[in-house]
């Protein structure tokens, strides 16, 4: 047995049941002093509390970018004889702020040290299995071992072939690693949904956005479409743009709309905050005077193909994890026909057009039994409009209630 192992670590690993994490979930008053650098007496928290704080910290990191959002809470060593869920002092907390910055575990160790704490024998509660590779920063498994941490409780195993193996490395060094605590689902998986999808499939998660009239049209018969949806819907769509790595449109949309494809605050023409890569799909040129070339925003990538798999491969090579497809109907249908849409954001406005292109070009559906049915994940009023978030079901079927 390694010298790093404390006598208490030979107990059976703690069984942790995580409550569903919601934005409204509040922690006890003791959790309010978790500020990493507050310099106040550390709070005492249970492992479950620590896991939830780690999840909340993780969510502070950017949703975009190649790296996962990860949070970490370092707890004081277990006291011999105390139950595994006994509250313990928080030594430090940390989270990952995006590619090239410190990982959550290293951030938490640094925070504990700034507060003058000894990390030897500590328990690290971390939302994702510590990494085991040197990427833009060093391996967290080694940092935890060097810090003398005795136990690492993680929620989600790391499926990234480049970084996996942290749990095994820690165990080999004598660190107790009871996890992963989540068995394929849970709040940790929910938080990392897009990233997990991208690293396990090797292609970006694809969200298809449509902004339609009540009769399902995306433009009037003359091609005009500004605006079908309300200011509230468009503000929401801009917030979504801020969370993705790339936005794609077809060449016809570039020529019809001359879009900027930036993330903006409504009422302000200038892009602000993170700007996604702007992707144009199709063979025709993007005019030199197009806003995509002249207006500030993310880099422009023109993929001269009609094969959406080529588009995703090109973007995966650029470390795009989340692609927002904004249309038009031809490009949207191509992604759906290829089975490459993971989520649909349908903004529906109480506007009637009666003619004009519908949200989707031909999907190859010739009879109702072949309809592509979606599972609704949420509905949300946005001013006069409604946003439906839905997920394509793996197989086509008749209406579930009548099946
Ligand atoms: N309300 C809304 O949500 C939106 C509305 N719109 C509206 O939609 C209209 C444009 O629709 P649409 O013409 O369908 O536009 P698209 O943006 O889908 O562009 C279609 C063009 O892209 C190229 N292309 C790229 N991928 C494929 C593919 N897999 N198969 C075939 N062609 C492909 C082709 O041009 P090429 O010859 O260059 O290869 C094709 O003509 C506009 O009026 C616009 O205002 C657009 C986006 C969103
Ligand atoms: N018409 C329409 C949308 N259209 C989408 O937004 C693009 C314009 O982006 P930008 O130039 O950055 O404002 C346009 O090309 C199309 O993809 N979006 C919506 O939320 N509501 C709408 O009614
Ligand atoms: Zn790491």
């Amino acid at each position: 047995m390694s010298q790093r192992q404390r006598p208490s670590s030979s107990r059976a690993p703690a069984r942790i049941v995580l409550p569903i994490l919601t934005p409204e979930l509040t922690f006890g008053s003791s959790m309010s002093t978790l500020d990493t650098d507050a310099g106040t007496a550390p709070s005492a928290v249970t492992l479950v509390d620590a896991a939830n704080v780690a999840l909340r910290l993780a969510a502070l990191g950017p949703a975009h970018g190649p790296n996962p959002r990860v949070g970490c809470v370092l707890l004081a060593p277990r006291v011999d004889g105390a139950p595994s869920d006994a509250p313990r002092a928080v030594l430090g907390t940390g989270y990952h702020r995006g590619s090239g910055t410190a990982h959550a575990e290293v951030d938490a160790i640094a925070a504990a040290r700034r507060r003058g704490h000894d990390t030897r024998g500590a328990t690290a509660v971390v939302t994702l299995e510590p990494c085991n590779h040197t990427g833009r920063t060093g391996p967290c498994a080694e940092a935890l071992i060097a810090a003398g941490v005795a136990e690492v409780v993680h929620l989600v195993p790391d499926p990234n072939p480049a970084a996996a193996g942290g749990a095994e490395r820690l165990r080999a060094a004598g660190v107790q690693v009871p996890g992963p605590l989540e068995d394929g689902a849970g709040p940790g998986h929910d938080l990392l949904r897009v990233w997990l999808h991208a690293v396990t499939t090797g292609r970006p998660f694809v969200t298809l956005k449509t902004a339609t009239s009540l009769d399902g049209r995306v433009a009037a018969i003359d091609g005009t479409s500004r605006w079908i949806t309300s200011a509230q819907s468009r503000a929401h769509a801009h917030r979504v743009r801020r969370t993705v790595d790339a936005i794609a449109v077809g060449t016809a949309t570039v020529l019809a709309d001359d879009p900027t494809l930036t993330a903006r605050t409504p009422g302000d023409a200038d892009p602000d905050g993170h700007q996604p890569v702007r992707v144009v799909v199709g063979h025709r040129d993007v005019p030199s005077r197009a806003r995509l070339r002249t207006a500030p925003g993310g880099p422009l990538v023109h993929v001269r193909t009609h094969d959406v798999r080529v588009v995703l491969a090109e973007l995966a090579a650029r470390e795009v994890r989340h692609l927002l497809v904004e249309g038009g109907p031809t490009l949207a249908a191509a992604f759906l026909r290829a089975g490459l849409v993971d989520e649909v954001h349908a903004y529906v406005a109480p506007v009637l057009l009666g003619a004009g292109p519908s949200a989707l070009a031909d999907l190859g559906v010739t009879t109702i039994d072949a309809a592509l049915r979606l599972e609704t994940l949420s509905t949300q009023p946005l001013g006069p409009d409604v946003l439906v978030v839905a997920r394509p079901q793996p197989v086509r079927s008749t209406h579930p209630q009548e099946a």
Side-chain angles (χ1 to χ4, degrees):
M1 182 184 283
S2 157
Q3 289 183 335
R4 282 199 202 330
Q5 270 185 294
R6 299 169 60 79
S8 60
S9 61
S10 57
R11 276 197 293 260
R15 295 197 66 78
I16 300 180
V17 179
L18 292 172
I20 301 296
L21 189 77
T22 69
E24 293 76 33
L25 187 68
T26 52
F27 302 108
S29 57
S30 65
M31 309 301 279
S32 60
T33 53
L34 279 174
D35 181 5
T36 335
D37 282 311
T40 54
S43 325
V45 300
T46 64
L47 275 176
V48 170
D49 283 340
N52 277 295
V53 171
L55 284 163
R56 296 196 135 213
L57 288 165
L60 296 176
H64 58 85
N67 287 2
R69 294 193 281 175
V70 185
C72 179
V73 174
L74 272 180
L75 296 179
R78 289 185 187 211
V79 175
D80 285 345
S84 62
D85 60 348
R88 287 188 265 163
V90 173
L91 305 181
T93 63
Y95 69 97
H96 182 52
R97 292 165 178 77
S99 180
T101 70
H103 288 192
E105 300 91 323
V106 171
D107 194 38
I109 293 167
R113 291 198 175 131
R114 278 198 300 274
R115 298 172 75 184
H117 291 304
D118 184 353
T119 53
R120 284 173 298 175
T123 293
V125 180
V126 58
T127 53
L128 179 68
E129 178 182 350
C131 69
N132 191 36
H133 83 308
T134 301
R136 293 176 180 95
T137 63
C140 290
E142 299 301 337
L144 291 161
I145 293 164
V149 166
E151 183 185 37
V152 174
V153 177
H154 68 286
L155 275 58
V156 179
D158 190 341
N160 189 354
E168 279 318 304
R169 172 71 191 102
L170 288 161
R171 288 187 187 114
V175 177
Q176 287 283 297
V177 184
L181 299 184
E182 291 186 3
D183 188 13
H189 280 78
D190 290 348
L191 184 76
L192 291 172
R193 188 176 59 107
V194 165
W195 183 83
L196 287 170
H197 170 99
V199 297
T200 52
T201 63
R203 64 149 176 102
F205 185 96
V206 175
T207 297
L208 169 63
K209 171 203 156 188
T210 60
T212 68
S213 63
L214 210 50
D215 52 336
R217 301 182 192 276
V218 291
I221 206 160
D222 66 351
T224 55
S225 61
R226 282 192 171 93
W227 297 107
I228 295 170
T229 59
S230 66
Q232 292 95 324
S233 286
R234 286 181 280 118
H236 185 283
H238 278 284
R239 290 198 293 278
V240 173
R241 282 182 175 184
R242 203 162 275 139
T243 69
V244 302
D245 300 306
I247 304 178
V249 293
T251 51
T253 294
V254 174
L255 297 172
D257 293 357
D258 191 15
T260 52
L261 305 182
T262 55
R264 312 185 291 273
T265 302
D268 188 345
D270 294 329
D272 61 78
H274 157 73
Q275 294 301 316
V277 174
R278 302 183 283 186
V279 184
V280 175
V281 184
H283 297 296
R284 280 170 286 176
D285 289 337
V286 177
S288 58
R289 303 184 67 158
R291 286 193 188 119
L292 286 176
R293 293 195 186 281
T294 59
L300 174 63
V301 173
H302 187 175
V303 194
R304 294 178 191 267
T305 184
H306 287 183
D307 184 342
V308 292
R309 291 181 191 281
V310 170
V311 177
L312 293 185
E314 168 77 33
L315 296 179
R318 294 170 183 263
E319 293 191 303
V320 166
R321 307 290 194 202
H322 194 174
L323 171 67
L324 182 66
V325 174
E326 292 219 13
T330 306
L331 186 63
F335 271 95
L336 283 164
R337 286 182 80 133
L340 289 171
V341 172
D342 302 298
E343 196 162 283
V344 175
H345 288 192
Y347 298 86
V348 183
V351 176
L352 295 172
L353 287 167
S358 70
L360 299 175
D362 186 11
L363 286 181
V365 174
T366 54
T367 181
I368 194 65
D369 282 351
L372 177 59
R373 297 202 181 266
L374 311 185
E375 175 192 3
T376 300
L377 301 178
S378 68
T379 58
Q380 181 183 353
L382 288 168
D385 307 342
V386 176
L387 167 63
V388 179
V389 175
R391 170 168 61 198
Q393 291 179 347
V395 285
R396 291 165 182 232
S397 68
T398 52
H399 194 289
Q401 286 169 354
E402 290 149 21

